Amino acid sequence: MTYSGQVTVGGPADVHELKDLMITKIAVGPMNNNAYLLRCRATDEQLLIDAANDAKTLIGMIGDDGIASVVTTHQHGDHWQALAQVVAATGARTYAGREDAAGIPVPTDVLLDDGATLRVGQVELTARHLVGHTPGSIALVYDDPHGHPHVFTGDCLFPGGVGNTRKDPEAFASLIHDVETKIFDVLPDETWVYPGHGDDTSLGAERPHLPEWHARGW
């Protein structure tokens, strides 16, 4: 079936099958958080992005093969409610942005800085540090050698705008600058965007609206 990226809490996961990577998206918890399970097709190693909520559902999605690692995109509590239980069940190494790690109540094994690389099996991901929604938010970029890039943006980029900066002009200026220079300016329109909540989008769908976002200030 064709991947849509449209998932609902309590509903089935949706699977995006790429040549080297399988991406499983599921929605969990009262804030409709997205969690993403990445599986290297060559090695079957798995990585989870945001153990947001509902550990039972996430562990069921992970399955018997377990996960080698779990990345928390940022320190807000709705993105790590199930982290302790998932780590306890799987023994996964934990990753988070350096500036947000202190705000996550599960110890971070690997601190991520801008440009850091991490692997799931033979697949390489690049961390991009985006400041404004939180001090240490991390997006993960997979530059698919067989197609277009894919980027997991946490709460820094959604359909219709950047993440919440709480009406703080300085935080908004920082976030939109980082999203533009580290995401829009270096990745093509075909780039698939997987946000921390709600439906997926593409950079091409959002790029024409950047001037509107600047003008409204959020």
Side-chain angles (χ1 to χ4, degrees):
M1 295 179 64
T2 301
Y3 174 79
S4 70
Q6 295 178 332
V7 292
T8 58
V9 176
D14 199 6
V15 181
H16 202 170
E17 297 196 28
L18 310 179
K19 186 170 183 179
D20 295 338
L21 187 68
M22 289 183 62
I23 302 167
T24 302
K25 177 180 181 178
I26 199 165
V28 292
M31 296 186 69
N32 191 34
N33 284 76
N34 295 325
Y36 298 95
L37 182 67
L38 279 55
R39 184 183 187 100
C40 172
R41 302 187 76 157
T43 67
D44 288 331
E45 184 173 299
Q46 297 189 120
L47 174 151
L48 181 68
I49 299 175
D50 282 346
N53 206 301
D54 193 351
K56 181 179 179 181
T57 293
L58 295 181
I59 292 167
M61 176 176 69
I62 290 165
D64 293 339
D65 289 339
I67 52 172
S69 47
V70 54
V71 180
T72 303
T73 58
H74 62 289
Q75 65 179 297
H76 287 161
D78 59 308
H79 290 260
W80 48 253
Q81 291 295 312
L83 182 59
Q85 290 171 276
V86 168
V87 169
T90 63
R93 287 173 63 81
T94 55
Y95 293 72
R98 182 177 300 275
E99 291 79 6
D100 269 18
I104 300 169
V106 177
T108 299
D109 296 318
V110 181
L111 299 171
L112 296 173
D113 296 308
D114 188 56
T117 58
L118 57 157
R119 303 184 71 87
V120 50
Q122 297 179 5
V123 171
E124 186 173 278
L125 306 169
T126 302
R128 301 316 311 257
H129 180 203
L130 308 174
V131 181
H133 181 67
T134 66
S137 289
I138 291 291
L140 296 177
V141 179
Y142 169 51
D143 192 0
D144 186 354
H146 309 289
H148 54 75
H150 300 255
V151 57
F152 302 86
T153 56
D155 283 3
C156 288
L157 178 63
F158 296 100
V162 295
N164 185 5
T165 51
R166 299 160 297 282
K167 299 183 179 180
D168 180 337
E170 185 175 338
F172 171 75
S174 175
L175 181 56
I176 200 162
H177 171 270
D178 283 1
V179 166
E180 284 191 297
T181 59
K182 297 179 182 182
I183 303 294
F184 281 98
D185 287 355
V186 296
L187 298 174
D189 283 352
E190 295 78 16
T191 302
W192 199 291
V193 176
Y194 305 82
H197 305 262
D199 293 344
D200 297 355
T201 186
S202 69
L203 292 188
E206 305 305 323
R207 194 184 304 274
H209 303 288
L210 283 167
E212 301 169 29
W213 304 354
H214 276 281
R216 75 190 186 194
W218 57 273

